[in-house]
């Protein structure tokens, strides 16, 4: 049974929880906005249900809430940042803004980050670039959750990619996707609801396709084999190797180019199971459209591209063709009006965190 919570009420509660770890008001707000935005856009796998992950990380030392990102290389169009094991949202916001500043002056801003933590939805940062009038790209690697094509061991992350581009008449193009069939959070949603996963999302310890979310998650925690499949699914018939290749592309730009971690080196557990900073790596690129083509021409052409796609012939009984980000924007507007839907387990978890941290739960 889900209940709807006003987004600003939810945001203020999450912000107050982060403030108990002595964050500044600004940093706590960034972290809270990142999580609530995911729920507003209909991505509960990366929303406030993930709060416990960050609270636990700050308590066990894998996330250092007082750490501040540090620029280790700085050039007119590029920079490299050390996240210093801080909160990924704070590190990501810093690096994303740095890319925006460089693109605004030089036309291009490319920033790599190493030694960070999970930064929430990739689209939060590409949206920053969109709001600054730029074309935005954001990507991150993550802890190993995905098996490579023909594999049965988690070795790469879900490694999401986001790209935003403005239009005039239409909603902006807003791609935000994992390079796996689904993110881990989707499995957690199915586990919380006691539902069977669609076939083709994940494999068990033998590398066999399974619908048992609880078993896959248990194996993930125990490192007992199995995991999520790359985009495309198992084997080669549905081109799972392409999703596998895209995940490796993200690792090259995020982990290798930054001098940070990649593949199974991104991990908050040490060899003996001890807690350690996860060493997540990110990549941000902002492009000033006017350095390539005048803005009106770009936006007119984006409208034309979107119109051509949306007005193309539909499959039988399908009422509509969507553009990336369109469904999420409609959910955002609905949830702003009606409240953010939270399932019972998420509400109970938030209430438990509120009691533990001494923060009043307003729902």
């Amino acid at each position: 049974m889900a209940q709807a919570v006003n987004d600003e009420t939810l945001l203020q509660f999450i912000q107050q929880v982060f403030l108990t770890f002595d964050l500044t008001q600004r940093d706590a707000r960034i972290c809270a906005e990142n999580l609530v935005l995911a729920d507003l856009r209909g991505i509960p796998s990366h929303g406030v249900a993930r709060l416990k992950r960050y609270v636990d990380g700050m308590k066990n030392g894998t996330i250092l809430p007082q750490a501040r990102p540090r620029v280790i290389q700085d050039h007119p169009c590029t920079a490299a940042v050390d996240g210093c094991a801080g909160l990924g949202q704070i590190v990501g916001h810093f690096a994303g803004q740095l890319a925006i500043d460089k693109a605004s002056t030089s036309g291009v801003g490319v920033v790599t980050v190493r030694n960070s933590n999970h930064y929430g939805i990739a689209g939060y940062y590409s949206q920053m670039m969109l709001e600054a009038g730029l074309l935005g790209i954001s990507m991150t690697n993550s802890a190993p959750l995905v098996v490579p094509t023909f594999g049965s061991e988690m070795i790469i992350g879900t490694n999401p990619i986001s790209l935003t581009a403005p239009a005039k008449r239409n909603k902006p193009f807003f791609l935000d996707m994992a390079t796996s069939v689904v993110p881990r959070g989707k499995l957690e949603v199915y586990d919380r609801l006691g539902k069977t996963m669609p076939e083709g999302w994940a494999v068990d310890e033998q590398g066999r396709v399974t619908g048992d979310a609880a078993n896959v998650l248990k194996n993930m925690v125990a490192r007992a084999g199995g995991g999520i499949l790359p985009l495309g699914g198992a084997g080669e018939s549905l081109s799972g190797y392409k999703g596998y290749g895209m995940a490796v592309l993200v690792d090259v730009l995020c982990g290798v180019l930054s001098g940070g971690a990649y593949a199974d080196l991104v991990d908050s557990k040490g060899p003996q199971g001890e807690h350690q900073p996860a060493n997540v790596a990110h990549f941000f690129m902002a492009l000033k459209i006017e350095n390539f083509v005048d803005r009106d021409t770009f936006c007119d052409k984006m409208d034309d591209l979107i119109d051509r796609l949306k007005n193309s012939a539909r499959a039988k009984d399908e009422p509509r063709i969507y553009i990336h980000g369109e469904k999420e924007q409609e959910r955002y507007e609905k949830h702003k009006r009606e409240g953010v839907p939270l399932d019972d387990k998420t509400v109970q978890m938030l209430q438990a965190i509120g009691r533990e941290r001494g923060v009043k739960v307003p729902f």
Side-chain angles (χ1 to χ4, degrees):
M1 187 77 174
Q3 66 170 284
V5 179
N6 174 269
D7 65 287
E8 186 60 34
T9 300
L10 185 59
L11 193 150
Q12 288 177 11
F13 167 73
I14 302 297
Q15 182 178 3
Q16 289 300 315
V17 170
F18 278 108
L19 284 171
T20 66
F21 291 94
D22 296 325
L23 270 67
T24 65
Q25 288 281 348
R26 177 179 179 273
D27 286 348
R29 182 82 179 185
I30 287 169
C31 294
E33 285 177 347
N34 183 291
L35 296 181
V36 174
L37 178 64
D39 282 309
L40 282 169
R41 291 182 63 81
I43 313 169
S45 60
H46 283 62
V48 298
R50 283 285 182 98
L51 181 62
K52 188 174 188 302
R53 172 185 187 148
Y54 301 107
V55 168
D56 288 349
M58 289 186 285
K59 285 163 57 179
N60 66 32
T62 58
I63 299 173
L64 307 181
Q66 302 307 309
R68 289 297 174 268
R70 180 171 62 91
V71 176
I72 51 180
Q73 284 208 51
D74 195 15
H75 305 282
C77 296
T78 64
V81 170
D82 185 336
C84 299
L87 277 154
Q89 288 86 348
I90 296 170
V91 177
H93 189 279
F94 174 86
Q97 187 60 54
L98 186 56
I100 288 169
D101 293 343
K102 289 184 178 297
S104 299
T105 15
S106 302
V108 176
V110 178
V111 179
T112 63
V113 177
R114 68 187 186 213
N115 192 23
S116 182
N117 280 287
H118 190 278
Y119 76 169
I121 54 170
Y124 178 84
Y125 310 97
S126 58
Q127 179 171 292
M128 286 172 58
M129 300 172 197
L130 178 71
E131 291 172 351
L134 304 165
L135 190 149
I137 296 172
S138 164
M139 58 183 79
T140 183
N141 62 18
S142 65
L145 299 171
V146 178
V147 299
T149 302
F150 302 135
S152 64
E153 177 188 5
M154 300 182 299
I155 196 76
I156 47 178
T158 55
N159 294 10
I161 299 171
S162 178
L163 182 144
T164 53
K168 279 184 185 175
R169 289 180 289 97
N170 291 293
K171 291 180 173 65
F173 178 81
F174 197 141
L175 175 71
D176 188 356
M177 54 170 272
T179 54
S180 56
V181 174
V182 287
R184 174 178 176 152
K186 273 282 184 73
L187 273 64
E188 292 169 345
V189 169
Y190 272 72
D191 181 38
R192 284 199 301 272
L193 300 177
K195 294 170 61 177
T196 300
M197 294 185 298
E199 190 170 304
W201 278 15
V203 293
D204 64 14
E205 61 276 11
Q206 301 298 318
R208 299 171 302 197
V209 173
T210 178
D212 188 342
N215 184 57
V216 173
L217 289 167
K218 175 174 67 73
N219 286 340
M220 284 179 169
V221 172
R223 305 298 167 90
I228 301 169
L229 285 162
L231 190 63
E236 293 184 326
S237 60
L238 293 176
S239 298
Y241 60 91
K242 294 181 181 177
Y244 170 30
M246 291 172 68
V248 176
L249 177 153
V250 172
D251 257 336
V252 171
L253 291 176
C254 293
V256 179
L257 186 62
S258 71
Y262 42 83
D264 57 337
L265 298 176
V266 181
D267 204 343
S268 59
K269 286 187 177 179
Q272 308 304 318
E274 71 276 17
H275 296 300
Q276 63 179 23
N279 203 4
V280 177
H282 318 308
F283 177 89
F284 304 92
M285 178 185 288
L287 299 174
K288 189 174 183 179
I289 292 163
E290 293 84 351
N291 277 41
F292 301 89
V293 65
D294 72 84
R295 189 174 189 83
D296 281 344
T297 299
F298 179 89
C299 290
D300 286 341
K301 286 184 174 291
M302 280 301 301
D303 275 330
D304 183 59
L305 171 60
I306 291 169
D307 289 344
R308 287 172 181 272
L309 293 168
K310 289 179 63 64
N311 297 331
S312 63
R314 299 187 297 272
K316 182 176 171 57
D317 299 327
E318 293 296 339
R320 182 174 174 187
I321 293 173
Y322 289 89
I323 295 299
H324 299 82
E326 196 173 14
K327 281 186 176 182
E328 290 83 355
Q329 182 60 32
E330 290 174 5
R331 291 188 196 114
Y332 177 92
E333 293 164 2
K334 174 181 170 65
H335 294 156
K336 288 291 279 186
R337 289 192 310 269
E338 301 175 8
V340 174
L342 300 178
D343 63 73
D344 289 342
K345 286 190 177 179
T346 298
V347 170
Q348 291 163 14
M349 178 271 293
L350 294 175
Q351 290 171 339
I353 289 174
R355 288 192 295 271
E356 176 196 324
R357 304 304 300 177
V359 177
K360 184 179 178 182
V361 183
F363 47 85

